[in-house]
């Protein structure tokens, strides 16, 4: 049972890729849900969620998952920073630049609580808008 090993995010990502090839969206969503609810620290998981959601245009799935995560991890600045970074990226994919910038700034504010001001991760938030 993979859920007994939440630190093995790469195993989740491999299973998600496999289920995507099989076009089993119910299993993909269940795996994304389990992966991020059990290990909300690794950014690869958020990027996979963003990829899936932007491809399927199922933005409400991400919103629901983020709501659950925000309740479960309400006192974890790192998790909240990751959530808002991802929310910003998803807003950007939906062509909502103002909303994306707002979410990215919230993410940076959470990061400033646990990272030095000049940390490279803080500078990476919102890089999507620079690349496009």
């Amino acid at each position: 049972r993979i859920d007994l090993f939440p630190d093995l995010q790469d195993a989740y990502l491999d299973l998600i890729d496999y289920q995507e090839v099989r076009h089993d969206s119910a299993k993909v969503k269940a795996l994304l849900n389990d992966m991020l609810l059990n290990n909300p620290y690794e950014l690869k998981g958020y990027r996979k969620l963003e990829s899936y959601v932007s491809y399927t245009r199922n933005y409400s799935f991400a919103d629901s998952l983020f709501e659950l995560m925000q309740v479960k991890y309400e006192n974890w600045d790192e998790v909240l920073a990751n959530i808002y970074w991802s929310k910003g990226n998803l807003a950007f994919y939906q062509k909502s630049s103002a909303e994306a910038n707002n979410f990215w700034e919230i993410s940076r504010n959470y990061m400033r609580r646990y990272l030095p001001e000049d940390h490279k991760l803080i500078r990476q938030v919102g890089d999507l808008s620079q690349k496009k």
Side-chain angles (χ1 to χ4, degrees):
R1 292 187 22 132
I2 193 167
D3 57 327
L4 298 177
F5 302 100
D7 291 340
L8 299 178
Q9 196 175 77
D10 287 335
Y12 275 98
L13 294 171
D14 288 344
L15 277 172
I16 291 166
D17 288 343
Y18 174 74
Q19 296 301 341
E20 282 181 322
V21 169
R22 297 183 69 222
H23 302 288
D24 192 337
S25 63
K27 285 187 180 171
V28 169
K29 290 192 286 189
L31 287 164
L32 285 166
N33 213 19
D34 288 346
M35 176 182 64
L36 287 170
L37 282 170
N38 291 312
N39 180 355
Y41 304 101
E42 294 183 54
L43 293 173
K44 290 185 288 186
Y46 290 90
R47 301 299 92 89
K48 185 63 174 178
L49 172 69
E50 293 164 18
S51 171
Y52 173 76
V53 167
S54 64
Y55 178 76
T56 62
R57 303 231 181 267
N58 189 355
Y59 293 96
S60 62
F61 169 69
D63 292 339
S64 298
L65 176 54
F66 289 147
E67 285 177 28
L68 291 172
M69 292 172 70
Q70 285 174 293
V71 170
K72 185 173 181 178
Y73 295 99
E74 65 183 327
N75 296 314
W76 294 86
D77 292 338
E78 183 179 358
V79 175
L80 294 171
N82 291 341
I83 290 169
Y84 281 101
W85 186 353
S86 196
K87 287 176 84 144
N89 291 349
L90 290 171
F92 184 80
Y93 293 142
Q94 294 176 83
K95 310 267 190 268
S96 182
S97 297
E99 188 176 31
N101 285 322
N102 183 45
F103 286 139
W104 288 332
E105 190 54 38
I106 293 169
S107 175
R108 284 187 207 95
N109 287 335
Y110 278 114
M111 286 181 180
R112 288 182 184 108
R113 294 181 183 178
Y114 65 94
L115 293 172
E117 181 68 33
D118 61 344
H119 196 278
K120 68 177 184 164
L121 204 55
I122 295 173
R123 290 191 307 268
Q124 286 177 355
V125 175
D127 272 354
L128 245 149
S129 63
Q130 309 298 323
K131 294 177 186 174
K132 300 282 178 179

